[in-house]
């Protein structure tokens, strides 16, 4: 079972955070009503982070959960995917609104957007 199926069993099929909508079953992301094309791994990262707003994930944990392996030195893979994901969904890359960096740890989804 992949991360999207696992999350989809426990969470609403449609998650909305301000101008960002994530339809897990349809594997569709809308930003201010416009469809955003994401790679499978970008979508998995977004679903995982957004289904647990405020929970910080370190790079090693994300590597293991999304890619299924735990190799030291491959944390840059996570950084690259987060940067590409941010470039697609963040209105302002220099001031992220959705995916936040937890300094010294990793990344989290902005919990202040719940119900926004």
């Amino acid at each position: 079972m992949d991360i999207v199926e696992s999350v989809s069993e426990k969470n609403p099929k449609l998650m909305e955070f301000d101008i960002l909508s994530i339809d897990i079953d349809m594997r569709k992301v809308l930003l201010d009503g416009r469809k955003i094309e994401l790679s499978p791994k970008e979508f998995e990262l977004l679903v995982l982070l957004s289904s647990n707003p405020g929970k910080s994930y370190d790079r090693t944990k994300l590597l293991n959960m999304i890619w299924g392996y735990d190799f030291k030195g491959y944390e840059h893979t996570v950084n690259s995917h987060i940067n590409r994901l941010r470039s697609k969904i963040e209105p302002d890359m220099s001031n992220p609104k959705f995916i936040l960096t937890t300094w010294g740890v990793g990344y989290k989804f902005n919990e202040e957007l719940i119900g926004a």
Side-chain angles (χ1 to χ4, degrees):
M1 178 182 302
D2 73 9
I3 198 74
V4 173
E5 290 170 347
S6 168
V7 165
S8 143
E9 288 180 356
K10 299 181 267 186
N11 291 290
K13 307 297 184 203
L14 179 65
M15 297 185 289
E16 295 184 326
F17 305 95
D18 193 36
I19 61 171
L20 181 69
S21 297
I22 306 161
D23 186 325
I24 294 175
D25 283 346
M26 299 297 291
R27 294 186 74 92
K28 184 167 73 172
V29 175
L30 299 176
L31 184 66
D32 208 13
R34 292 183 333 269
K35 186 175 182 189
I36 303 298
E37 295 294 333
L38 299 179
S39 74
K41 293 301 182 198
E42 290 166 348
F43 185 78
E44 289 177 34
L45 274 169
L46 181 59
V47 167
L48 175 64
L49 294 172
S50 64
S51 66
N52 299 289
K55 181 176 179 179
S56 294
Y57 292 88
D58 68 37
R59 289 163 188 83
T60 303
K61 178 99 172 160
L62 289 171
L63 254 180
N64 193 34
M65 293 178 77
I66 302 295
W67 283 267
Y69 55 84
D70 190 12
F71 286 88
K72 297 288 181 214
Y74 282 91
E75 287 86 2
H76 69 279
T77 299
V78 174
N79 296 354
S80 297
H81 278 77
I82 291 288
N83 287 337
R84 281 197 298 276
L85 178 56
R86 279 179 170 165
S87 74
K88 294 176 180 182
I89 67 167
E90 295 291 353
D92 178 3
M93 283 284 292
S94 64
N95 187 22
K97 176 179 190 169
F98 300 108
I99 298 176
L100 307 178
T101 300
T102 306
W103 298 110
V105 178
Y107 301 100
K108 69 178 182 176
F109 196 87
N110 189 351
E111 69 272 18
E112 294 177 10
L113 297 174
I114 297 172

